[in-house]
Structures are given as C-alpha cells and as structure tokens.
Amino acid sequence: MKYLKDIWEVTKRECKILYVNRIYGYCMVVFPLLAMLFFTSLLNDGVPQEMPVGIVDLDNTSMTRALGRKLDGFQNSKVVANYTSVSEARKAMQENVIYGFLYLPKGTTEKLLASRRPTVSFYYSQTSLSAGSMVMKDLKTTATLGMMGVGQATMRAKGLTEKQIQTLLQPIRIDLHQVVNPWSNYNIYLSTVFVPGVMMLFMFLISAYSLGMELKFGRGKEWLAMADNKIVVAILGKYLPQALIFSSIIFFYEFYIYGILHFPYQGSLWDVLLLILLQVFSSIGFGVFIFGLMPSLRMSMSICSLWAVLSFSLAGSAFPMMGMDGSLQAMTWLFPLRHYYMLYQITVFNGYPLADAWFHLVALVAFTLTPWFVLSKVKNAMLNYVYIP
C-alpha cells in the first residue's frame, strides 16, 4: 500500500508539472490532433485526382480527338493543354505543368484503319512516384482501348461474333480481387501508419524530455525522495499521467478513423485496444531507455528524434522491407513503429489471429521493458549528475 501511495504522490506532482508547462499540452494533445487532422484531410479523396496531362495530336482526326476525350474522362487525369510538338509538351512536363502527355503522330488513323500498326507514344514523369504511376496507367489504358475499339469495329464488319471478338482481343480475362482495400485508398493504408508514427515521435520526445527537465532544474532528488528513493515507483508515478493522456488521444484517433471515416478493419475491438496500449507503453519505454543510455536532455531528445524519423522509412509502409538491403532489413527490428505496423497489418487490417504476429507482440513488450536495464543509471544521474547545457 505504501508503494501505491508513493506512486499517487508522484503522479499528483507530475500532473502539476504537466499543467504548468505548456510544452506538454502542445506536444501531447494539440500537435497530435493537428497531425491526425492533417494527414486524414490531405488524403481525404483516397487517391490523387485530376492530375494534369497534355496531348500532342498531330493527326487531328475524329478518332484521335476521341482518344483525348477518353483520357480526360478518367478520374485520375485531366487534359489541361493540347501541344503542337513533343518539344513543347516535354518542356511543360519538365516545368511540372503536366505529369505526362500522349503523342499521336500524323497518319495514326490512316495506319490504324489499314491495320499497319501505328506507333502511339506516351511520356510521363516519375519525379513524383505515385502521380507518375497513375498517369502512366491512364495513358496506357487510353492507347490500348483506342486500338482495341478500332479492331473491334473491323472484326465486326468481317462478320465475327461478339464472343469471337472478345476472345481475339482479350484471350485471357483477368479476374482481379484487391483484398481489404479494394478502392486502393491511400488514406486507409498511409494514415494508419503516418499518424501513429507522429504520435510515437511525440511520446519518444516527451518521455526523454520529462527526465531531462528533472535533471536540468535540479529536481531529481526531490522526485526520488517522494518515491522513497525507489526508482521504479518514481518512474511509474511520473509516466502514469502521460500514458493516460496519450492513450486517450490515440483511442480518439481510432474512433475517428473507424467510427467516422469508416476505415475498414477485420480485427476485433480487443486487438485495437491492445495495439493502443502496446504503442503507448513501448514508446514511453523506449524514450526512458534512451535517456538512461545518455542522461542528457539534448542528446537523448536528439536520438529519439532521429529514431522516430528513420522509423517512417524503415517501417515498411512506403517501401517494402523485402526490397531493402540486408543490413537495413536487420535494422528494421530496432524500431517500435515497424512492429506496430506489422501487428496492425496482420491483426487489425487483415484480421488474422494474434498468434500470427507473436514476434512483433513480443518485440513491443520488450521495448516496454527496456527501461529496466537503465534504471540504475537514471537514478544515479538524478542524484549525482550536474546539468550541462
């Protein structure tokens, strides 16, 4: 009971610090909420729409103009200009006025009707990977459908049936099923890792910052005295309010994306709640561990910032881990966000049992327990270290 009383006293002291120091309010509530709204609003349409493209139509027939209208009819592309030459269109693409253009040379319709296989070219910029890929898909589809339309009319004139025409034009029919995210919605699979990654960043920083401020203002001995010099009691009392606040913010985020934005999820509510707890405890544990390794406000926060920023690249959401270099693949296991992302993908997003993600579950629990190895260093720093700016 005495330990519980000491934890309560330290918790009350920490609540006063959180109330007085506005940095905690901004980093624990305001900025995470802004990040949440920013990312979900940025990707609100799901995929980029009406990306500017151009057309170089040197043939200028009813058939080539119809191809331009088909391209403009796609959801992801919007024809914003017709250029008189390839050089002019290429210059516009280099200036980022358009992401790509369709080139229809003179004689395209004549060769097509004569079955002489005209060459239709399309150019697209991969400076922006997602925009370039989507524009390329629309340009390729437009060219393919245009050629198939003429071929279909020719075969019909020769007396072939619709079934025969379909067999010749498309000998293999593709039955495509995009599991879980059939809309290819960027918001569903990017916001669910970017926002937790930003929240982990703040948890890393705040956990290291809290200990650094005790050292900076010489309050470490007072803090330990309230816990009867028991560092475990002091740590539990200090981070209990932070864990509750961060858990509440993340719970609101989960309610927002699943209850209001209606993101799909296959897992149970218990999987979501477990993931929230693991995310909060592992992040706070990692921040305390880094401060224990380097009992310096500046150095610990710098390492936490670096680790959080690298997490976005090594989590595997934007670039798959299997495509990385072997050494980078090994490094991904050192980042809590990687294990959070895999646990989310396996249990919540795809609905597989927790047993299939046991390694990532154990990894997050291990990050939660890492402060145990540096508690003596943290205590020694509070009692003996002198703050150096």
Side-chain angles (χ1 to χ4, degrees), residues 16 32 56 76 87 107 109 134 151 156 239 253 332 354 370 382:
K16 293 179 181 177
V56 180
N76 297 330
S87 299
T109 303
M134 290 185 176
R156 190 180 291 115
Y239 289 104
Y253 166 69
T332 59
L354 196 60
T370 48
M382 295 301 160

Side-chain angles (χ1 to χ4, degrees), residues 32-286:
L33 289 177
L34 289 177
M36 179 194 315
L37 294 175
F38 171 76
F39 282 108
T40 53
S41 300
L42 177 68
L43 303 170
N44 186 50
D45 292 331
V47 293
Q49 296 183 3
E50 296 190 347
M51 292 175 289
V53 296
I55 293 179
V56 180
D57 186 2
L58 301 184
D59 201 31
N60 195 25
T61 64
S62 59
M63 185 176 295
T64 56
R65 289 194 296 269
L67 288 178
R69 289 191 296 270
K70 287 181 180 179
L71 178 60
D72 193 46
F74 283 102
Q75 182 180 7
N76 297 330
S77 301
K78 180 178 178 61
V79 177
V80 296
N82 285 274
Y83 300 99
T84 58
S85 66
V86 172
S87 299
E88 184 182 355
R90 184 183 64 183
K91 182 179 179 182
M93 191 168 65
Q94 291 173 336
E95 294 175 350
N96 280 331
V97 177
I98 57 175
Y99 286 112
F101 63 91
L102 182 66
Y103 172 50
L104 302 167
K106 190 172 183 60
T108 297
T109 303
E110 179 184 352
K111 290 181 180 179
L112 188 61
L113 294 176
S115 300
R116 287 186 297 182
R117 299 182 62 186
T119 300
V120 175
S121 306
F122 52 87
Y123 301 81
Y124 59 95
S125 172
Q126 284 288 75
T127 304
S128 174
L129 186 61
S130 59
S133 300
M134 290 185 176
V135 167
M136 181 273 292
K137 182 180 69 174
D138 287 354
L139 291 170
K140 183 177 181 181
T141 302
T142 300
T144 303
L145 290 179
M147 303 307 107
M148 289 176 63
V150 175
Q152 186 179 28
T154 304
M155 293 178 189
R156 190 180 291 115
K158 291 180 179 180
L160 298 179
T161 65
E162 291 296 327
K163 187 175 181 180
Q164 290 173 325
I165 293 173
Q166 289 296 328
T167 303
L168 291 172
L169 293 178
Q170 190 179 18
I172 299 176
R173 178 177 295 178
I174 299 174
D175 188 13
L176 177 64
H177 297 276
Q178 295 185 186
V179 181
V180 182
N181 186 10
W183 316 276
S184 297
N185 190 321
Y186 280 39
N187 204 5
I188 290 174
Y189 71 84
L190 288 181
S191 293
T192 49
V193 66
F194 283 168
V195 176
V198 172
M199 291 182 177
M200 281 187 167
L201 166 64
F202 287 120
M203 285 186 276
F204 288 174
L205 293 176
I206 287 297
S207 54
Y209 175 80
S210 299
L211 293 175
M213 294 302 285
E214 299 288 356
L215 189 62
K216 178 178 180 178
F217 293 107
R219 301 192 305 245
K221 294 180 180 180
E222 172 197 342
W223 171 49
L224 289 174
M226 294 187 68
D228 196 23
N229 284 326
K230 300 291 191 302
I231 186 61
V232 175
V233 173
I235 291 290
L236 291 176
K238 172 172 271 303
Y239 289 104
L240 181 59
Q242 297 184 22
L244 291 175
I245 294 173
F246 277 122
S247 298
S248 300
I249 296 296
I250 297 174
F251 182 82
F252 171 76
Y253 166 69
E254 303 291 348
F255 169 77
Y256 174 64
I257 61 174
Y258 296 126
I260 298 177
L261 299 182
H262 303 293
F263 280 21
Y265 69 98
Q266 308 297 321
S268 66
L269 177 62
W270 297 110
D271 293 330
V272 176
L273 294 177
L274 176 62
L275 200 57
I276 291 174
L277 295 178
L278 289 173
Q279 179 186 359
V280 173
F281 293 153
S282 62
S283 300
I284 293 177
F286 181 82

Side-chain angles (χ1 to χ4, degrees), residues 211 223-224 230-236 239 288-289 292-293 369-382:
L211 293 175
W223 171 49
L224 289 174
K230 300 291 191 302
I231 186 61
V232 175
V233 173
I235 291 290
L236 291 176
Y239 289 104
V288 175
F289 175 71
L293 290 179
L369 299 177
T370 48
W372 185 262
F373 299 100
V374 296
L375 288 179
S376 59
K377 291 195 64 176
V378 173
K379 183 177 181 179
N380 182 55
M382 295 301 160

